[in-house]
Amino acid sequence: MFDKFREECGVVAIYGNPEASKLAYLSLYALQHRGQESCGISSSDGRELFTRKSMGHVADVFTPQVLGELPGDHAIGHTRYSTAGDTAILNAQPFCVSCNKGKIAVAHNGNITNAGELRRELERRGSIFQSNSDTEVILHLVAHSAERTLAGALRDALLQLEGAFSLVFLAEDRIIVARDPHGFRPLAMGQREMSGGKISTVFASETCAFDLIDAVYLNDVQPGEMVIVGPEGVTRERYTPEQPLSHCAFEHVYFSRPDSIVFGRAVQESREALGCALAREAPADADIVVPVPDSGVAAALGYSNESGLPYRQALIRNHYVGRTFIEPSQAIRDFGVKLKLNPVRHLLEGKRVVLVDDSIVRGTTSRKIVRMVRNAGASEVHVRISCPPTISPCFYGVDTPTKSELIGANNTIDEIRKFIEADSLGYLSLGGLRRALADENHNYCYACYTGDYPTDFVHIEQLLSSKKSTLSAH
Ligand code: AMP
């Protein structure tokens, strides 16, 4: 069964730098927030492709020794959030194969919504799959293509895919990247000047990766565009006719880093605008505004500016929470949240608090945080969320649970308020979100807030049924 619904990822690609794998490593380090379960890099020395991938964080996996095993001037990298378990490493990317089009590695951010159908057809024609990831389908489509060149075969493959994909490919002497025609997930293009004035071309899910490696952001890979970087230079081509855009609104609400430019817009600017709009739409009679760090910080700033209520960092986050910690044998209430967050009692005591966060998914974490703030002495806790209620799962690359588990899908706002034990609860409206993103031209996907999916519904139905069986199989 495909592991379609756990595909939060970051991708990078570096062309034409003798330290390509080190630059890929640094870029992945900046994209760690996009996936913390596994990571990998493939490099090319012009003849051979080398791949190293493992479960774990970028800084732990890529030791100097491992990076030394990734020679060459070109590299791609991937960081992934996946389900835990034995098969997770099989799904770690990049995937690397040798086929009739040469040696190719691929890394993918997004979800291919017709991967099940494509895989069945490929298996009927003799393909043998090594993983249950939808990304592997792309390599088989390339191998099966009647086109003779790699770019031709890729074009052929891309035209058969539906859904969300920002893809980076590595061949012996080139990098090819592509984005789905709706532009669900981001993919930025940049340049890095080396000593001697030589230019190397770089790509990354978010521009914060460019900052770390001293690269300059040029523009985005356009939806429906394929960019080929090889010895002959850079070629940009549209591989499919223009289609309506569906940029993921949640990238701006939560997923991307605030220091990134995503879909050509500064994420920090969006988040502050979300907070301002939230203060206008859902004011609160309160004393202080407190963010849930880190996800609520920028929106809380906007809320504070607009409402005039002072901003207070009254929840402190421990940034060093690893995957392994020793749990006490006796139950400690809300242990998981306490590991990550601790309240500043003297800021909260006796205060009416506006607690700002970006979203409520199941409601369980939010309830623990509300309890924590109240136990630290707050007299009232007013929760404000900087987007509309999440009522539908994402099929395009954000990890959301099934509808039955989404508290917003099955409860009224007041029922959610009661569940999270808040004195009041306010969400931003869809119109407010759209305005904060400056989305006059309807270029964003809001499916998780509306249930209105921008791609073919037939496939969504199939995904819904396969999602149920995927979940029950785990
Ligand atoms: P809960 O109250 O359990 O629904 O958790 C809400 C928290 O989960 C918020 O602080 C969000 O920032 C965070 N969150 C929302 N979406 C995701 C996601 N896809 N992955 C991880 N955390 C998320």
Side-chain angles (χ1 to χ4, degrees):
M1 185 54 66
F2 281 103
D3 185 16
K4 294 188 192 78
F5 304 96
R6 308 248 171 196
E7 288 289 345
E8 289 175 357
C9 303
V11 295
V12 304
I14 312 284
Y15 179 86
N17 191 297
E19 292 200 293
S21 59
K22 278 192 188 150
L23 294 179
Y25 154 75
L26 291 171
S27 306
L28 287 181
Y29 188 81
L31 297 183
Q32 186 73 81
H33 62 287
R34 295 185 71 87
Q36 297 92 43
E37 295 276 340
S38 68
C39 54
I41 294 176
S42 294
S43 71
S44 170
D45 65 0
R47 291 180 306 278
E48 285 299 321
L49 262 53
F50 307 84
T51 298
R52 295 289 178 273
K53 51 188 176 179
S54 181
M55 303 303 290
H57 286 192
V58 176
D60 300 325
V61 168
F62 292 103
T63 59
Q65 189 201 327
V66 173
L67 284 171
E69 294 161 3
L70 291 163
D73 288 0
H74 322 303
I76 60 170
H78 190 257
T79 178
R80 177 172 192 262
Y81 173 81
S82 70
T83 46
D86 300 344
T87 57
I89 188 64
L90 286 179
N91 291 318
Q93 297 188 26
F95 288 118
C96 190
V97 291
S98 202
C99 69
N100 52 359
K101 311 292 181 310
K103 296 171 189 119
I104 327 166
V106 62
H108 170 212
N109 175 206
N111 279 328
I112 293 161
T113 51
N114 64 338
E117 281 165 67
L118 292 171
R119 180 173 172 139
R120 276 190 294 281
E121 176 55 24
L122 285 160
E123 281 175 335
R124 206 185 51 75
R125 288 156 64 191
S127 290
I128 296 169
F129 283 79
Q130 291 175 18
S131 75
N132 57 10
S133 160
D134 53 353
T135 310
E136 201 186 342
V137 167
I138 303 166
L139 291 176
H140 286 276
L141 289 175
V142 170
H144 275 272
S145 170
E147 290 284 336
R148 301 247 295 276
T149 64
L150 175 59
L154 279 180
R155 202 177 295 117
D156 219 15
L158 296 175
L159 288 169
Q160 296 176 62
L161 305 179
E162 287 171 23
F165 49 90
S166 283
L167 290 162
V168 295
F169 296 91
L170 173 71
E172 285 103 323
D173 68 341
R174 62 196 52 232
I175 295 270
I176 304 181
V177 307
R179 222 170 138 207
D180 70 72
H182 299 286
F184 282 103
R185 308 255 73 88
L187 188 59
M189 178 170 173
Q191 269 185 353
R192 185 174 186 278
E193 201 177 320
M194 290 182 282
S195 50
K198 211 177 147 227
I199 298 287
S200 71
T201 306
V202 297
F203 300 90
S205 296
E206 291 180 40
T207 59
C208 64
F210 297 161
D211 299 336
L212 185 55
I213 61 168
D214 277 339
V216 179
Y217 167 55
L218 294 179
N219 49 39
D220 286 349
V221 175
Q222 291 304 302
E225 187 184 40
M226 184 160 107
V227 184
I228 305 164
V229 195
E232 68 287 350
V234 178
T235 316
R236 301 183 74 145
E237 68 162 74
R238 171 163 275 292
Y239 68 85
T240 182
E242 251 180 72
Q243 291 184 32
L245 296 180
S246 303
H247 300 322
C248 170
F250 201 56
E251 289 277 354
H252 275 267
V253 170
Y254 167 80
F255 201 41
S256 293
R257 259 174 49 166
D259 50 339
S260 288
I261 297 166
V262 167
F263 311 130
R265 183 177 165 78
V267 175
Q268 175 76 13
E269 187 186 346
S270 295
R271 292 209 184 139
E272 285 193 34
L274 292 169
C276 286
L278 185 61
R280 287 194 295 273
E281 286 187 14
D285 195 6
D287 304 311
I288 55 171
V289 178
V290 174
V292 174
D294 294 331
S295 49
V297 169
L301 266 174
Y303 195 103
S304 163
N305 287 341
E306 182 66 22
S307 64
L309 297 174
Y311 172 91
R312 293 285 179 266
Q313 271 184 295
L315 286 169
I316 302 300
R317 181 167 163 196
N318 182 347
H319 287 265
Y320 306 100
V321 181
R323 281 163 49 79
T324 47
F325 51 83
I326 299 155
E327 284 198 57
S329 48
Q330 267 201 317
I332 293 180
R333 212 156 66 100
D334 301 335
F335 181 69
V337 164
K338 280 183 183 163
L339 263 187
K340 276 194 207 146
L341 295 176
N342 200 32
V344 184
R345 194 168 268 280
H346 92 267
L347 291 176
L348 293 168
E349 249 160 13
K351 294 287 192 311
R352 296 169 300 163
V353 174
V354 181
L355 190 63
V356 180
D357 203 356
D358 71 284
S359 52
I360 300 177
V361 183
R362 293 182 174 86
T364 46
T365 312
S366 307
R367 176 162 67 180
K368 289 174 185 174
I369 298 171
V370 171
R371 277 184 191 162
M372 175 180 274
V373 170
R374 215 186 283 284
N375 289 340
S379 59
E380 293 174 17
V381 185
H382 302 275
V383 174
R384 296 293 179 268
I385 301 296
S386 61
C387 65
T390 309
I391 61 159
S392 249
C394 177
F395 298 105
Y396 309 115
V398 172
D399 176 42
T400 35
T402 51
K403 217 174 168 90
S404 61
E405 294 166 277
L406 284 170
I407 193 167
N410 306 297
N411 295 278
T412 63
I413 307 273
D414 198 52
E415 284 165 346
I416 304 170
R417 180 196 66 74
K418 281 198 187 108
F419 180 82
I420 64 170
E421 299 172 3
D423 293 288
S424 75
L425 171 63
Y427 284 90
L428 186 65
S429 68
L430 189 61
L433 171 58
R434 200 170 252 153
R435 281 188 295 279
L437 296 179
D439 184 22
E440 294 93 8
N441 300 322
H442 295 261
N443 287 345
Y444 279 80
C445 172
Y446 301 100
C448 55
Y449 309 120
T450 61
D452 204 357
Y453 294 97
T455 58
D456 198 340
F457 195 68
V458 178
H459 297 128
I460 299 298
E461 292 272 84
Q462 285 168 354
L463 286 170
L464 276 170
S465 58
S466 73
K467 181 161 191 173
K468 275 185 204 130
S469 43
T470 309
L471 284 168
S472 57
H474 281 289

